[in-house]
């Protein structure tokens, strides 16, 4: 391609400082270096995580920065050593990666790559510690290795999933973050049995995806828990059979759920990041076999408090990261689930 090996000038939405409106700027995007890929971003979604780090209230502020991580695009050019991607390939950038070499990548149980797992404080490429974005010579920092709020971006090849070119990128771009996280939390971690009862805490995009996972697994009763009753109608499309609003009750919601289900739900998936919802999600599962899975990211100072007897009574608490999907290996299959109208 004519642009390969050259600096590309394009538009990007730049966050110059915390909480200030993004500014559309002309940026220079350097060519990809070893094991890097330059991608033309066609569609990018807004994930709440972008807002969280734009506000920078609870983390290290890294500015100026190009945010964005839930997207779809086409490979423009590849750097030295990249063998599994070529110009023209359709890809989903992912905020975490898969080097395929480390102990995590070789484990069937983990997707937390030693080399490429999410790093929210790093604003440069891992190869040489430099940014590929600049404006008039001033470096503009990257965000979680993706920076998709730019017409072109440079990403480590281990953070790109090559997908079916027939898949509509304007739809499957959301599979690169929230939808896969929720779906995988249920299918890969909670693993509800057919005919079981599942509670989903938080009915945003991640929660609805977790709910669809419960539907696909054959759960007979799927209880949505949210403080916004307007979300019930939408949730029905994803398999929700019951709805509980904690504000409607004068006792802890876990007690309400235990009463509703004759002892507790078989599985619960928490998708809010609210530590009290996390505790409720754990305490509402049935003793002996109940499993709770935490998906939401808590605030830095939060502490999870529950009585140890809950564990001795054989309730299980698990956590997950990106739904336990390995980005390069598993994401193409999730795209196929969408193409086959399974999800």
């Amino acid at each position: 391609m004519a642009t390969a090996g050259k600096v590309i000038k394009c538009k990007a939405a730049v966050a110059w400082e915390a909480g200030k409106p993004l500014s559309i700027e002309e940026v220079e995007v350097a060519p990809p270096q070893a094991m890097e890929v330059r991608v033309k971003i066609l569609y990018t979604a807004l994930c709440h995580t972008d807002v969280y780090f734009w506000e920078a209230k609870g983390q290290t502020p890294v500015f100026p920065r190009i945010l964005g991580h839930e997207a779809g695009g086409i490979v423009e050019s590849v750097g030295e050593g990249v063998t599994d991607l070529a110009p023209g390939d359709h890809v989903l950038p992912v905020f975490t990666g898969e080097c395929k070499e480390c102990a995590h990548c070789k484990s069937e149980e983990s997707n937390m790559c030693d080399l490429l797992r999410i790093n929210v404080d790093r604003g440069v490429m891992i190869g040489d510690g430099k940014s590929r974005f600049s404006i008039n010579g001033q470096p503009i920092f990257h965000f979680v290795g993706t920076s998709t709020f730019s017409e072109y971006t440079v990403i480590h090849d281990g953070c790109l999933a090559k997908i079916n070119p027939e898949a509509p990128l304007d739809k499957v771009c959301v599979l690169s973050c929230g939808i896969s996280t929720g779906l995988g939390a249920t299918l890969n971690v909670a693993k509800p049995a057919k005919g079981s009862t599942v509670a989903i805490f938080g009915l945003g995009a991640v929660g609805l995806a977790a709910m669809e996972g419960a539907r696909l697994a054959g759960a007979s009763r799927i209880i949505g828990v949210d403080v916004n009753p307007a979300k019930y109608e939408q949730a029905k499309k994803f398999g929700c059979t019951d709805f509980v609003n904690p504000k409607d009750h004068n006792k802890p919601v876990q007690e309400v759920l235990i009463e509703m289900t004759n002892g507790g739900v078989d599985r619960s998936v928490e998708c809010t990041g609210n530590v009290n919802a996390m505790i409720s999600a754990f305490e509402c599962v049935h003793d002996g076999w109940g499993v709770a899975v935490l998906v939401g990211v808590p605030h830095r100072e939060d502490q999870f408090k529950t009585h140890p007897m809950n564990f001795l009574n054989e309730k299980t608490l698990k956590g997950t990261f990106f739904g336990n999907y390995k980005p390069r290996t598993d994401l193409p299959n999730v795209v196929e689930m969408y193409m086959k109208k399974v999800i």
Side-chain angles (χ1 to χ4, degrees):
M1 284 182 131
T3 51
K6 300 174 184 174
V7 170
I8 289 179
K9 289 186 177 182
C10 68
K11 287 187 168 61
V14 178
W16 288 101
E17 53 186 299
K20 293 291 172 71
L22 305 187
S23 174
I24 303 297
E25 307 279 0
E26 183 178 81
V27 298
E28 294 192 338
V29 185
Q33 300 303 303
M35 305 312 294
E36 296 173 3
V37 178
R38 190 160 58 185
V39 177
K40 181 178 184 179
I41 298 295
L42 297 186
Y43 299 94
T44 185
L46 177 65
C47 171
H48 199 271
T49 305
D50 296 307
V51 178
Y52 185 68
F53 284 93
W54 166 69
E55 291 174 336
K57 290 175 180 173
Q59 342 71 23
T60 310
V62 181
F63 295 98
R65 196 173 210 181
I66 296 173
L67 298 164
H69 65 281
E70 198 172 65
I74 297 177
V75 173
E76 174 269 337
S77 60
V78 301
E80 183 185 342
V82 176
T83 57
D84 49 354
L85 289 170
D89 284 345
H90 287 217
V91 290
L92 298 183
V94 186
F95 59 87
T96 189
E98 181 186 355
C99 72
K100 298 193 175 184
E101 299 294 330
C102 70
H104 283 280
C105 287
K106 290 180 176 178
S107 164
E108 291 184 5
E109 298 179 42
S110 176
N111 65 341
M112 302 189 75
C113 177
D114 278 331
L115 179 68
L116 299 170
R117 77 172 64 174
I118 187 171
N119 183 325
V120 297
D121 295 331
R122 184 173 58 225
V124 293
M125 302 301 291
I126 60 172
D128 60 4
K130 295 178 182 176
S131 173
R132 301 289 173 260
F133 298 110
S134 63
I135 296 178
N136 299 324
Q138 177 187 1
I140 307 296
F141 293 115
H142 295 249
F143 175 64
V144 296
T146 54
S147 292
T148 62
F149 291 175
S150 176
E151 292 177 312
Y152 287 86
T153 186
V154 176
I155 301 171
H156 192 285
D157 84 321
C159 296
L160 289 165
K162 180 181 175 180
I163 64 163
N164 182 346
E166 299 295 312
L169 287 171
D170 61 326
K171 300 290 193 299
V172 298
C173 64
V174 295
L175 294 176
S176 69
C177 179
I179 305 302
S180 297
T181 296
L183 188 70
T186 305
L187 293 178
N188 300 335
V189 188
K191 298 179 180 176
K194 193 171 184 179
S196 60
T197 299
V198 180
I200 307 292
F201 285 72
L203 302 181
V206 177
L208 293 176
M211 186 167 277
E212 185 149 51
R215 179 182 64 77
L216 290 174
S220 60
R221 194 175 184 190
I222 304 173
I223 305 169
V225 182
D226 202 294
V227 294
N228 181 356
K231 292 187 177 180
Y232 184 29
E233 281 306 310
Q234 175 90 321
K236 287 179 184 176
K237 300 175 192 172
F238 293 82
C240 191
T241 60
D242 303 73
F243 180 80
V244 175
N245 182 347
K247 290 181 176 178
D248 291 343
H249 303 273
N250 54 11
K251 56 185 168 185
V253 71
Q254 52 266 51
E255 293 181 19
V256 176
L257 291 165
I258 287 169
E259 287 176 13
M260 282 175 65
T261 55
N262 194 27
V265 300
D266 302 305
R267 299 289 187 268
S268 71
V269 184
E270 183 284 323
C271 305
T272 70
N274 180 302
V275 73
N276 293 316
M278 294 178 180
I279 295 166
S280 297
F282 174 55
E283 293 184 352
C284 79
V285 300
H286 205 290
D287 55 6
W289 62 78
V291 178
V293 178
L294 305 185
V295 179
V297 179
H299 286 286
R300 189 175 283 183
E301 295 80 27
D302 283 342
Q303 290 191 327
F304 186 99
K305 295 179 181 178
T306 191
H307 199 282
M309 279 305 298
N310 286 315
F311 294 100
L312 299 179
N313 286 334
E314 300 178 7
K315 296 184 178 190
T316 300
L317 179 65
K318 291 185 172 185
T320 180
F321 173 69
F322 193 53
N324 274 43
Y325 284 121
K326 293 179 187 284
R328 296 161 78 187
T329 301
D330 298 329
L331 213 47
N333 299 327
V334 179
V335 170
E336 291 310 310
M337 288 173 75
Y338 171 75
M339 295 297 283
K340 292 171 182 171
K341 295 182 165 50
V342 175
I343 55 172

